[in-house]
Amino acid sequence: MSEDEAASDLASRFRRLIQRHGPMPVSRYMGESNALYYDSRDPLGQAGDFTTAPEISQMFGEMIGLWFADIWTRSAKPDAAYVELGPGRGTLARDALRAMSSQGLRPPVHLVEGSQALREAQGSSLGEAQFHDSIATLPEDQPLYLVANEFLDALPIRQLVMTTRGWRERLVALDGEDFVFGAGPNPMDDAVPEELRAQAVGTVIETCPGAAATIEEIARRIDVQGGAALFIDYGYLESRPGETLQAVRAHEKVGVFDAPGEMDLTALVDFGILAQIAARAGLAVDTATQGDWLTAMGLGLRMQALAQRSPERAAELKTAHDRLIGVDAMGALFKVMAITPRHTARGAGFG
Ligand code: SAH
C-alpha cells in the first residue's frame, strides 16, 4: 500500500469509528495520526515536511555532546549511556557522540524510537545502537545522558474546551464527511487547575499526559542512576491556556484535519508544568531559550573555528548560526530544559 493510500485509509477509518462509536478525543486523533505518519516515512529535511535544528547544522549536536561531556567528566562515574528519544535521522546523536569522543567519552548508544522507517535511518548513520520501544527498557545500572529534540511536541495532547456548560473534553466529530471539533458530554471542570478555570467560552486548555509521564520517569531515573537530561522543543516556560495544536506538511502549516497520517501534528510544549514535575521529583531543573543557551555554550566560537578551517563554508555557517539563535528564527520560540541531580554541579549554559 502506498503512503497516500495508508493515510486516506486512516481518514476513512476515523470516519467509520466516529459514525459507529461517536466522536473521539483529540488525543486519540493525534496519537494515531502521528503513529502512522512517522512509521511510514522520513519526514525531515528539504524534501520532507520540516527541518529540525540538528539538520540545520552539526554545531547543534556538538553543543549537546559537550554539555554532556562537561557533566560526565565532573561526575567521576566512568560507565554511562548515551540515550536519545525520537532521534530522527540520527544526526544529533552522530554530532553529539563525535563531540563526546573528542573528550575521550565513548558511551553505548540507546535509542527510543517508534518508527521503523527512522530506525533504519538511525542505524545507518550511527552503526551500533540499541533500539527501545519505550523508556521503560532503558538500562537501569548506569548514569544516563539523555537528549530529546522535538520529541515531546509530537506526543498526543488532550484538549479541554470551555463551553456554556463548563469545561468539557474536546472531541473530533463529523459534520457530513468533514471532521469538526465537538465537546464531550461529561463535566471536566475538576481536570482544570483552579487558577485557569475562569475563561471565556471557546477557550482551549492543552495537557500532554505522555510528556508528563516521560519527564517523571526520566527524573526518577536520573535521581537513582545519575546522569543528566536535556529536552529541547518549541514551547513556553509559563503554563497558560490557549490552543497550539498544528499540522505541518511540506514546510507549510495546513489544517489539523486536512490529511491525518500524512502531516506532522504537534503542539507547543508546556515547559512550566514539566519543570514542576521534575522539581517535585527532587531534581535540579534549569530552563533557557535555545538562543541564550547555545550562545552561552559557545556556538559563536564554534562557528568561527569551523569557518577558519573551511573558509568556503563561512557564509553557510553564519546562516545556520543565526537560524539557531535568532529571536525571529528558532532562538526564542525554542526552549531548553535541563534535569540534573540536585547534589551535583549544574549543567553549563544556564547563566
Ligand atoms: N529529534 C529528531 C527528530 C524529531 S521528529 C530531530 O531533531 O531531527 C520526532 C521524532 O520522535 C521522530 O524520530 C519520531 O519517529 C519520534 N517519535 C514520535 N512519537 C514517538 C513515540 N510516541 N514514541 C517513540 N518515538 C516517537
Side-chain angles (χ1 to χ4, degrees):
M1 189 163 37
S2 76
E3 278 172 18
D4 276 6
E5 281 166 37
S8 65
D9 253 33
L10 183 63
S12 326
R13 202 165 66 76
F14 279 155
R15 284 195 189 92
R16 277 201 308 277
L17 272 169
I18 295 170
Q19 278 154 359
R20 219 170 285 161
H21 304 289
M24 68 171 79
V26 167
S27 53
R28 179 168 182 191
Y29 176 82
M30 182 175 177
E32 292 194 22
S33 300
N34 274 354
L36 174 65
Y37 173 75
Y38 282 108
D39 207 40
S40 55
R41 76 197 70 216
D42 171 358
L44 295 156
Q46 263 314 309
D49 292 317
F50 57 96
T51 303
T52 54
E55 302 297 332
I56 291 173
S57 171
Q58 69 182 77
M59 298 184 287
F60 183 77
E62 288 170 347
M63 293 300 124
I64 290 163
L66 293 176
W67 190 84
F68 286 149
D70 167 54
I71 300 179
W72 187 345
T73 47
R74 285 189 278 139
S75 81
K77 287 208 182 129
D79 293 316
Y82 175 91
V83 180
E84 193 170 333
L85 313 184
R89 288 180 175 166
T91 309
L92 193 171
R94 207 182 49 213
D95 295 334
L97 288 163
R98 189 181 56 251
M100 292 168 85
S101 156
S102 76
Q103 309 296 307
L105 302 168
R106 290 177 192 81
V109 177
H110 292 265
L111 307 176
V112 177
E113 175 57 67
S115 158
Q116 205 44 52
L118 288 173
R119 279 189 184 196
E120 279 162 33
Q122 292 150 17
S124 52
S125 90
L126 291 170
E128 218 160 291
Q130 198 169 319
F131 289 104
H132 299 263
D133 291 327
S134 84
I135 53 182
T137 54
L138 289 172
E140 290 181 6
D141 54 355
Q142 57 189 355
L144 305 178
Y145 290 95
L146 179 147
V147 61
N149 185 64
E150 289 210 43
F151 170 75
L152 298 173
D153 66 60
L155 300 181
I157 54 154
R158 176 176 194 186
Q159 288 186 332
L160 300 170
V161 60
M162 182 64 171
T163 70
T164 50
R165 291 165 300 156
W167 289 97
R168 299 291 160 107
E169 172 118 35
R170 203 173 196 209
L171 304 175
V172 177
L174 276 178
D175 177 8
E177 288 288 289
D178 297 335
F179 296 112
V180 291
F181 284 115
N186 302 319
M188 295 295 292
D189 302 74
D190 280 359
V192 178
E194 216 174 311
E195 64 277 15
L196 294 181
R197 265 180 221 163
Q199 302 292 341
V201 167
T203 304
V204 169
I205 285 179
E206 298 177 339
T207 64
C208 187
T214 299
I215 297 299
E216 189 167 81
E217 168 71 0
I218 298 305
R220 191 187 65 78
R221 295 291 204 114
I222 288 173
D223 194 30
V224 175
Q225 298 172 221
L230 269 185
F231 290 88
I232 306 156
D233 230 307
Y234 41 4
Y236 42 91
L237 295 175
E238 289 196 21
S239 302
R240 61 185 191 214
E243 176 175 12
T244 72
L245 182 66
Q246 66 163 18
V248 166
R249 190 179 191 185
H251 303 270
E252 302 277 350
K253 267 195 193 184
V254 295
V256 296
F257 295 138
D258 280 10
E262 278 179 87
M263 53 189 194
D264 186 37
L265 281 171
T266 62
L268 292 189
V269 173
D270 180 352
F271 282 107
I273 195 75
L274 298 181
Q276 271 181 39
I277 290 170
R280 225 185 289 137
L283 283 289
V285 184
D286 290 295
T287 53
T289 65
Q290 174 172 303
D292 286 349
W293 184 74
L294 286 174
T295 302
M297 284 298 296
L299 190 75
L301 290 175
R302 182 62 184 146
M303 174 189 65
Q304 283 165 16
L306 288 171
Q308 233 153 36
R309 212 180 299 160
S310 329
E312 75 287 356
R313 288 185 56 209
E316 166 214 327
L317 287 159
K318 176 80 170 86
T319 305
H321 168 274
D322 292 353
R323 212 169 145 192
L324 291 173
I325 68 159
V327 175
D328 300 329
M330 300 178 81
L333 179 60
F334 280 73
K335 310 295 189 297
V336 182
M337 178 173 82
I339 300 176
T340 48
R342 193 163 268 175
H343 48 274
T344 61
R346 305 285 264 254
F350 291 96

